[in-house]
């Protein structure tokens, strides 16, 4: 069966991308896999490493709940039609890896461009260059 991967982060742009992906999946008879990426908020030496180990499971569970809520807010009753994947990774890395077996990767756009995009990097740009499948950028 065809698979459409879509990035979610709780933003309005990702909600629009998720709704687009669900509609496209209906047309194609595909399944939708919503991917949410998170990272441990602290970096540093041994103390941070110990804190990360102690808090990892709780943080993973918290992020999974956040992703479920984001899907529910975006889709309402259709939320159960979407598979969810919550990964501890950078957003672009998580999406590119999740798209390994996908037919399509869908990402939202926050409208950044020009110098900000060049300096900050862009998940959508990284996905467009590195994804192993076609990428759809859903604009506002």
């Amino acid at each position: 069966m065809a698979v459409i991967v879509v990035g979610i982060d709780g933003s309005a742009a990702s909600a629009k991308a998720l709704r687009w992906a669900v509609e496209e999946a209906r047309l194609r008879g595909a399944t939708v896999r919503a991917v949410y990426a998170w990272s441990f908020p602290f970096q540093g030496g041994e103390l941070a490493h110990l804190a990360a180990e102690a808090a990892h499971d709780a943080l993973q569970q918290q992020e999974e709940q956040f992703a479920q809520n984001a899907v529910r807010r975006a889709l309402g009753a259709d939320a159960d039609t979407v598979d969810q994947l919550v990964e501890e990774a950078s957003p672009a890395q998580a999406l590119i890896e999740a798209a390994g077996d996908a037919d399509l990767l869908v990402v939202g756009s926050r409208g950044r461009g020009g110098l900000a995009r060049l300096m900050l990097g862009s998940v959508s740009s990284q996905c467009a260059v590195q994804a192993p499948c076609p990428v759809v950028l859903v604009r506002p």
Side-chain angles (χ1 to χ4, degrees):
M1 176 174 271
V3 176
I4 297 175
V5 171
V6 58
I8 60 170
D9 64 6
S11 69
S14 75
K16 184 174 182 179
L18 179 58
R19 288 188 294 272
W20 189 94
V22 167
E23 183 58 33
E24 185 66 18
R26 283 188 184 122
L27 296 172
R28 294 179 181 223
T31 61
V32 175
R33 183 183 313 140
V35 177
Y36 175 79
W38 68 279
S39 60
F40 191 75
F42 305 109
Q43 295 183 7
E46 184 66 24
L47 185 58
H49 177 70
L50 292 172
E53 285 182 6
H56 185 271
D57 290 344
L59 285 170
Q60 177 72 25
Q61 200 169 31
Q62 174 185 316
E63 299 303 333
E64 287 173 359
Q65 186 63 49
F66 179 87
Q68 287 176 352
N69 291 340
V71 170
R72 229 180 269 120
R73 279 192 310 275
L75 299 178
D78 288 337
D80 293 337
T81 65
V82 174
D83 296 329
Q84 295 177 41
L85 177 63
V86 177
E87 292 288 325
E88 183 182 5
S90 72
Q93 176 188 356
L95 289 168
I96 291 164
E97 287 179 11
D101 65 344
D103 297 282
L104 190 64
L105 173 58
V106 180
V107 292
S109 169
R110 293 185 186 201
R112 286 192 172 154
L115 185 58
R117 187 173 118 200
L118 179 64
M119 293 183 67
L120 298 174
S122 166
V123 172
S124 57
S125 292
Q126 290 175 47
C127 288
V129 171
Q130 297 176 19
C133 62
V135 177
V136 172
L137 175 61
V138 178
R139 306 267 309 156

